[in-house]
Each structure stands twice: as structure tokens, then as C-alpha cells.
Amino acid sequence: AAGTPMLRVQELSTHYGAICAVNQVSLHVNQGEIVSLIGSNGAGKTSLLMTICGAPRASGGQVFFEGEDITQAPTHLIMRRGIAVSPEGRRVFPALTVIENLKMGGFFLTGDEIDAGMEHVFELFPRLRDRAHQRAGTMSGGEQQMLAIGRALMGRPRLLLLDEPTLGLAPLIIAQIFEIIETIRGEGVTVFLVEQNANRALQIADRGYVLENGRVVLEDTGAALLANADVRKAYLGG
Ligand code: ATP
């Protein structure tokens, strides 16, 4: 419905035993937005992103996708509803080829949908078409990242969750990845981006959130966060 955010996270908490990794976080992502979540190592970014996907389970609070409570839904049903995640560390299957990895991302699709999804991914990432039969483990970090994003796109998600897609990549590749994220958004996919590369992440974001010790401490437009003195000092090198 109009006015309902695509994703709404309401006082969400995640615990690992006694450790509280996500502490009553509330945020939302509107349809068509790029929203970035920044924060330092161990702030709880990955835990928050993965809790949205149902693994780990929330210890408190709720997650709504298109108005429906998905907090307790199994991960595979969350994915089928239109959310996809490209996890931290890329996690492609190293022994499988590019094509085989992409098929894994479309395991719930029909044959025709897999063919169409793969063609779409190859248009976005021509490099992957050139390497269609190469084993993922032998590709460069940037190529593996493209594959991880491509795999997430196979099911034609409406919401794409990206966990540190530029970590450990060379500057030129980082620029390419951010361009691709904007292209993906241009195709109508809403993007929630977790990044340590705060500068670039806020540059492409409509809005952003700053996470510290499991809590949201700041939220604003990307431009306002980029200009914020505290953010500059803590995350942008002064
Ligand atoms: P990074 O950028 O380094 O990945 P992050 O912001 O994504 O950091 P998380 O990985 O979510 O942060 O970690 C948040 C806190 O939860 C950290 O203190 C971490 O040690 C802890 N943590 C994460 N995963 C587990 C786990 N499986 N078991 C126990 N503690 C965990």
C-alpha cells in the first residue's frame, strides 16, 4: 500500500547467547531507495542484515516486508517473497562454475526463468558471460563479488540486501560495483547496503543509518550524513 515502507525493522534485537549484537534497531527502506547502513567492525551490521533474512532469529522486535510480518518466516520463504542477499565474504561456491553458481541462486525458478535470469545477469556483468564456464574459486575478488550479486539477482528480487560488497577490492573495481548498484536500483530494485566504505556508500544513498554497538545512533539523508561532523570524524577520516 502507498505509504508502507518496503522494509520496516521495528525495535529489532539479536543475541548470540548473552552477547547483544543488535539492540532494538528501528529503520525502514522505501521502495526504490538505496539505503546505506554504516558502522565500524563489530557494530552489528551483518547480524542486522542476516536477522532480516531470518538467520539468526530475532530475539526481540519485528521485521515487516511490504507490510507483512516476516520475523518468524523461514529464510527460504523470505527469499521467495522477493528479498535476496549477497552475503559478506561473497560466499560463492568455489568448485562450481559461474553458470552453476547462478543456477544455485535460482533453485526455486522454472527452467525458462533461470534462462531469463542468467541473461539478465550477463547483461549487467558482461565479464561473467566471458567466464561462464570458469570455476568461481579461480576468479578474482571483483569477479567473485559480481557473481555473488548476480546470483542474488537470479530470483528477480524486489529488495536486494548487500553486505560489504566492496570489501578488499581494488579502487577501480569498487567504483564498478557502486555503478552496478545504481544500475540495479535503476531497474526498480530497492537496495539496502551495508558498508564500511562509508564515503561511497553515503554518496549513492538516498538515506543512511549509522550503527554503533548494535544501536542506530544517527539517521539522515546520505548527503546530510556525509556533511555531518561526527560522521566525518568517525567514518570518513576527518
Ligand atoms: P564486521 O564489519 O566486522 O563484519 P559487523 O558490524 O557486521 O562487523 P557483526 O558481524 O554483526 O558486526 O558482529 C556484531 C557482534 O556480534 C560482534 O561483537 C561479534 O563478535 C558478535 N557475533 C557475530 N556473530 C556471532 C556469532 N555467530 N556468535 C557469537 N557472537 C557473534
Side-chain angles (χ1 to χ4, degrees), residues 63-76:
V63 179
F64 296 90
F65 179 59
E66 297 177 332
E68 287 196 48
D69 189 338
I70 58 165
T71 322
Q72 299 302 330
T75 299
H76 67 278

Side-chain angles (χ1 to χ4, degrees), residues 155-176:
R156 293 301 186 115
R158 292 189 296 286
L159 174 64
L160 177 64
L161 311 176
L162 295 171
D163 195 351
E164 307 228 16
T166 68
L167 192 67
L169 301 180
L172 201 66
I173 311 292
I174 290 177
Q176 284 176 14

Side-chain angles (χ1 to χ4, degrees), residues 46-64:
T46 298
S47 299
L48 172 57
L49 201 75
M50 295 315 293
T51 305
I52 291 169
C53 301
R57 286 275 164 220
S59 52
Q62 287 163 299
V63 179
F64 296 90

Side-chain angles (χ1 to χ4, degrees), residues 125-146:
F125 301 104
R127 182 84 73 102
L128 293 182
R129 195 196 298 274
D130 300 339
R131 292 170 184 267
H133 299 287
Q134 187 169 334
R135 288 184 200 279
T138 65
M139 299 201 303
S140 73
E143 289 162 354
Q144 289 188 29
Q145 184 60 58
M146 291 173 191

